[in-house]
Amino acid sequence: MKFNNVTVAGSGVLGYQIAFQTAFHGFNVTVYDINDEVLEKAKAKFDILANAFKTDLKATDEQLAATKAKLIYNADLAEAVKDADLVIEAVPENPKIKIDFYEKLAKVAPAKTVFATNSSTLLPSQFAEYTGRPAQFVALHFANEIWKHNTGEVMKHPGTSEETFQSVFEFAKEIGMVALPIYKEQPGYIVNSLLVPLLSAALNLYVNEIADIETIDKTWMVATGAPVGPFGILDVVGVTTAYNINKMAADATHDPTKIKAVEMLKTQYIDKNKLGVATGEGFYKYPNPAYQDKDFLK
């Protein structure tokens, strides 16, 4: 099973990176999102991403021009997937939104099309029946800043065919990822099984007034040698994603600390459009966050 035409559904924090990375490696990519206004914003983000590829990967102007030529945009789902060999779903981390998307996608995608979810915390088996093709459905998860942090976690659900699993695994390699096979479903795959507890613990420390944001990050950075702390990571991941993940946990557990964290993220950050790096401010201000200051760790 060879993929040539790839549709990326969703142009948010990871979606636009996946689209650009895939086009950079020579695939034809259609970027789908809910309306033309959102797609126009994606085009602007691709210009910023092109500069990152120049700086970090030493990409040439010719390579970047060729990448942009491989990208097309469509807000009509049927049109966006009509030639797709692979659809990578990167819609918001909300089960209702994903189910609604897959029900619509199943009706319009060609029979040959493989579906891959980029969900970071939800299991593919939660959506398999809504795809209309469970054997051709798998999870493919990327770390943020995928051109530098090249993890491509490929995870089966019990109904995934071996051919689908292997084809998506090979595709991950072809777009420059280190392909990582995951044989059984695991919420959070490997990366987020390790990362989410860290970020959750940091939020708990902050909302319970144990320490302030900078002290928590400083502690982690000094003690482990990490280049960034949990709140710096949250800004890159995006505050909205953190809110969605914590909201699901709060709804499921009724944990008072989780409820407090969700309320804090909404009122102090989301409602004020402090969504992280993407909006220029989250827990830190960008492009020069305090944790990059030479004196931060003193």
Side-chain angles (χ1 to χ4, degrees):
M1 201 184 296
K2 177 76 178 156
F3 305 133
N4 296 306
N5 301 319
V6 179
T7 298
V8 178
S11 59
V13 172
L14 268 168
Y16 85 99
Q17 295 180 34
I18 297 165
F20 200 84
Q21 179 83 8
T22 303
F24 185 75
H25 285 272
F27 291 82
N28 302 314
V29 179
T30 300
V31 184
Y32 165 78
D33 218 315
I34 52 174
N35 58 47
D36 291 329
E37 187 186 351
V38 176
L39 290 172
E40 282 303 316
K41 287 180 182 169
K43 289 179 191 178
K45 290 192 288 189
F46 286 135
D47 291 334
I48 297 165
L49 202 48
N51 288 329
F53 272 58
K54 255 186 174 176
T55 303
D56 299 328
L57 303 182
K58 306 294 181 271
T60 65
D61 289 335
E62 291 76 17
Q63 283 177 304
L64 295 168
T67 299
K68 287 182 180 176
K70 290 276 185 186
L71 290 161
I72 60 173
Y73 307 85
N74 208 311
D76 180 313
L77 184 59
E79 278 294 307
V81 302
K82 68 179 183 183
D83 298 318
D85 301 307
L86 173 66
V87 173
I88 301 173
E89 168 268 305
V91 306
E93 196 73 344
N94 177 310
K96 286 181 184 171
I97 295 172
K98 288 190 189 289
I99 287 168
D100 180 60
F101 172 75
Y102 280 116
E103 286 179 332
K104 288 175 180 166
L105 179 63
K107 290 172 186 166
V108 295
K112 67 172 182 176
T113 311
V114 168
F115 298 169
T117 179
N118 178 58
S119 173
S120 51
T121 57
L122 304 167
L123 294 175
S125 60
Q126 290 175 250
F127 312 108
E129 67 177 291
Y130 303 103
T131 67
R133 61 194 73 197
Q136 289 164 242
F137 180 52
V138 71
L140 172 60
H141 182 252
F142 302 88
N144 207 353
E145 298 189 331
I146 70 175
W147 66 98
K148 292 192 294 186
H149 305 141
N150 310 93
T151 55
E153 298 175 285
V154 186
M155 183 169 77
K156 296 178 175 184
H157 69 91
T160 304
S161 74
E162 190 58 31
E163 183 186 15
T164 297
F165 184 71
Q166 289 301 331
S167 298
V168 174
F169 187 79
E170 288 306 315
F171 167 77
K173 290 183 189 174
E174 287 172 0
I175 62 167
M177 298 293 107
V178 176
L180 304 165
I182 300 174
Y183 305 112
K184 287 171 74 175
E185 285 193 315
Q186 163 67 30
Y189 310 73
I190 297 169
V191 170
N192 283 317
S193 292
L194 299 168
L195 182 60
V196 170
L198 168 68
L199 303 183
S200 179
L203 281 168
N204 290 354
L205 287 167
Y206 177 57
V207 298
N208 286 329
E209 301 175 358
I210 309 299
D212 59 58
I213 285 167
E214 292 196 359
T215 302
I216 294 165
D217 275 7
K218 190 183 296 188
T219 303
W220 184 255
M221 291 164 73
V222 172
T224 67
V228 61
F231 286 98
I233 295 170
L234 281 164
D235 274 349
V236 174
V237 170
V239 176
T240 305
T241 298
Y243 171 82
N244 286 335
I245 291 168
N246 280 277
K247 178 83 166 62
M248 280 190 290
D251 290 347
T253 63
H254 306 293
D255 179 333
T257 300
K258 284 264 176 268
I259 292 166
K260 207 167 159 186
V262 166
E263 183 62 22
M264 180 274 293
L265 290 170
K266 185 173 188 313
T267 57
Q268 293 182 35
Y269 293 90
I270 292 174
D271 290 351
K272 295 177 181 177
N273 201 40
K274 296 179 179 179
L275 306 183
V277 175
T279 58
E281 185 174 359
F283 297 104
Y284 295 92
K285 289 185 178 177
Y286 296 86
N288 300 304
Y291 62 79
Q292 287 181 353
D293 188 283
K294 61 182 175 59
D295 294 325
F296 184 73
L297 298 184
K298 290 183 178 174

